[in-house]
Amino acid sequence: MTQTSARVRMSPDDRRAQLLELGVGLLATRNLDEVTIDLLAVEAGISRGLLYHYFGNKQEFHEAIVERAVDDLIEVTAPVDLPGMGERMLVSLDRYVGFVESNHRGYVSLRRAAFGGNPRMWELYDGARRALTDRIFDSAGPDGLAELGIADTVGVRLAVRAWAAYAEDAVLAWVDDPRGIARDDLLASLAGALVAVAGTAPPVR
Amino acid sequence: MTQTSARVRMSPDDRRAQLLELGVGLLATRNLDEVTIDLLAVEAGISRGLLYHYFGNKQEFHEAIVERAVDDLIEVTAPVDLPGMGERMLVSLDRYVGFVESNHRGYVSLRRAAFGGNPRMWELYDGARRALTDRIFDSAGPDGLAELGIADTVGVRLAVRAWAAYAEDAVLAWVDDPRGIARDDLLASLAGALVAVAGTAPPVR
């Protein structure tokens, strides 16, 4: 009874957020095409009609779930309050790898949809990558960048954006098959690669 | 008249190869969906029926064109006979960038089709990346790798495969908008990044 009255008191926004959370959870072990309104209706124990009320149509439903998943990724990998830049980087990378591990199928299918030509999925995917890499510069600030030995130039920004593709490729390959590489060693190598490619970034003359 | 008799004497394999070359040429300024059998028929001045005879159906036609484009990429970037490993790398990278520049729309659309879930396109795309990066190890040999300061370990192979994603991302971004970065500086930075990420590759314990 308590549960029911709690549900009744929940605002439409809260209810929608709760349904999205459920949808993102389904995405962990399913690809985007498998996370349908029908499935969510069963999982949430509510009618399809009500879900359409919240999400409009299938396309908007998928976009809303992916947007929420991307927000989760950006939030979970946010820089932590640790004194050393290296440690902060390792914590964020640890959480990124954890996110890919926990949401492997959904992550791969989002990437697929983004590269596959769905403009909104691309916008969400590319926006996440942009946010994750720009944040390295914004959160570190001049002192943090100096600590890492990273300059903030157009060439370094290009290299760091490309490093995100590097990290994603390496992490997806590692999650598929760790091939004897320890998790901590992977994290350290990703952080090392970031500093290394920043060091070899092209100059802007 | 000479042209006609030459065409008559051409073997079906040669004729097919010639048509594929024409198709790959069309891909330079068009995406994969725009390179249709109808278009190739017009460009080649032959009937659609004859093209279907050579290529079976639309899917096989696209696969044959992409396979040919991928073969071109692998061939054009093949290691040249230069004494220094660094120079050989720069020549291959120069040709890779040239290929992306000349075939930009086709390259992006192949990548899109590969990531978008077309298994054969993925096989071709991933096979090309595998060939291009494995070749670095095969062609360099132990001495060449030592010259670059690159070890041949599972961790370094993972890093070099991921570097291919890095290079592709950086080159596509640069072709879209060079942002003041000179071509030679881009090439040098890509070669430098390869050595740098090999140096920070995870150990296998």
Side-chain angles (χ1 to χ4, degrees):
Chain A
M1 293 310 283
T2 315
Q3 211 183 343
T4 308
S5 41
R7 186 183 295 171
V8 169
R9 277 202 310 273
M10 202 176 259
S11 74
D13 280 359
D14 287 348
R15 184 65 178 142
R16 188 172 185 278
Q18 193 192 41
L19 290 167
L20 274 182
E21 197 178 341
L22 191 58
V24 171
L26 297 176
L27 206 53
T29 53
R30 291 173 183 85
N31 67 44
L32 209 48
D33 288 338
E34 292 166 345
V35 178
T36 58
I37 287 200
D38 283 359
L39 177 66
L40 188 61
V42 171
E43 294 285 333
I46 63 174
S47 72
R48 295 170 68 245
L50 196 51
L51 278 173
Y52 278 109
H53 166 73
Y54 280 112
F55 297 109
N57 58 40
K58 184 189 155 190
Q59 174 73 8
E60 286 174 42
F61 169 64
H62 278 163
E63 287 176 8
I65 288 186
V66 169
E67 194 170 353
R68 172 63 191 266
V70 162
D71 286 347
D72 284 353
L73 171 62
I74 291 173
E75 191 183 323
V76 82
T77 56
V80 289
D81 192 16
L82 277 174
M85 272 306 294
E87 288 71 30
R88 286 163 68 176
M89 187 67 67
L90 285 175
V91 171
S92 286
L93 283 167
D94 175 46
R95 293 182 177 174
Y96 172 70
V97 173
F99 184 90
V100 177
E101 287 174 319
S102 311
N103 301 282
H104 191 235
R105 290 203 66 184
Y107 190 98
V108 169
S109 77
L110 159 62
R111 187 172 180 244
R112 186 170 285 174
F115 279 102
N118 180 318
R120 179 63 186 142
M121 293 299 168
W122 174 257
E123 200 180 359
L124 289 169
Y125 173 87
D126 190 56
R129 182 176 282 185
R130 196 176 296 271
L132 293 174
T133 54
D134 283 352
R135 192 170 58 187
I136 294 169
F137 293 91
D138 298 340
S139 77
D143 292 351
L145 291 178
E147 190 189 326
L148 289 173
I150 293 179
D152 188 0
T153 68
V154 170
V156 170
R157 293 254 177 178
L158 181 87
V160 170
R161 281 297 305 277
W163 167 83
Y166 174 90
E168 181 179 75
D169 191 275
V171 170
L172 285 171
W174 182 83
V175 169
D176 268 346
D177 175 9
R179 59 201 88 180
I181 295 164
R183 200 173 189 287
D184 280 352
D185 288 333
L186 176 75
L187 299 178
S189 82
L190 296 174
L194 171 66
V195 175
V197 299
T200 62
V204 179
R205 297 179 194 279
Chain B
M1 291 311 283
T2 314
Q3 210 185 344
T4 308
S5 42
R7 187 183 293 173
V8 169
R9 279 201 311 272
M10 202 176 258
S11 75
D13 279 0
D14 287 348
R15 183 64 178 141
R16 188 172 185 278
Q18 193 192 39
L19 290 167
L20 274 182
E21 197 179 337
L22 191 58
V24 170
L26 296 177
L27 207 52
T29 52
R30 292 172 182 83
N31 68 45
L32 208 47
D33 288 338
E34 291 165 345
V35 179
T36 60
I37 288 201
D38 282 0
L39 178 65
L40 187 60
V42 171
E43 294 285 332
I46 64 175
S47 72
R48 294 172 67 244
L50 194 53
L51 279 174
Y52 278 111
H53 166 73
Y54 280 112
F55 297 109
N57 57 40
K58 184 190 155 188
Q59 174 72 8
E60 286 174 42
F61 169 64
H62 277 163
E63 286 176 9
I65 288 187
V66 169
E67 194 169 354
R68 170 65 191 266
V70 161
D71 286 347
D72 285 353
L73 172 61
I74 292 173
E75 193 183 321
V76 82
T77 57
V80 288
D81 193 16
L82 278 174
M85 273 304 295
E87 287 72 27
R88 288 162 67 177
M89 187 67 68
L90 285 177
V91 171
S92 287
L93 283 167
D94 175 44
R95 292 180 178 175
Y96 172 70
V97 173
F99 185 90
V100 176
E101 287 173 319
S102 309
N103 301 281
H104 191 235
R105 289 202 66 184
Y107 190 97
V108 169
S109 76
L110 159 61
R111 187 172 179 244
R112 187 171 284 175
F115 279 102
N118 180 318
R120 179 64 186 142
M121 293 300 168
W122 175 256
E123 201 179 358
L124 288 169
Y125 174 87
D126 191 55
R129 182 176 281 185
R130 197 176 297 271
L132 293 174
T133 54
D134 284 352
R135 193 169 61 186
I136 294 170
F137 295 92
D138 299 340
S139 77
D143 291 350
L145 291 178
E147 191 189 327
L148 289 174
I150 293 181
D152 188 0
T153 67
V154 169
V156 171
R157 292 252 177 180
L158 180 87
V160 170
R161 282 296 306 280
W163 167 83
Y166 174 91
E168 182 180 73
D169 191 275
V171 170
L172 285 172
W174 181 83
V175 170
D176 269 345
D177 174 10
R179 56 201 91 180
I181 296 165
R183 200 172 188 285
D184 281 351
D185 288 333
L186 176 74
L187 299 178
S189 80
L190 295 174
L194 172 65
V195 175
V197 298
T200 61
V204 179
R205 299 181 191 278

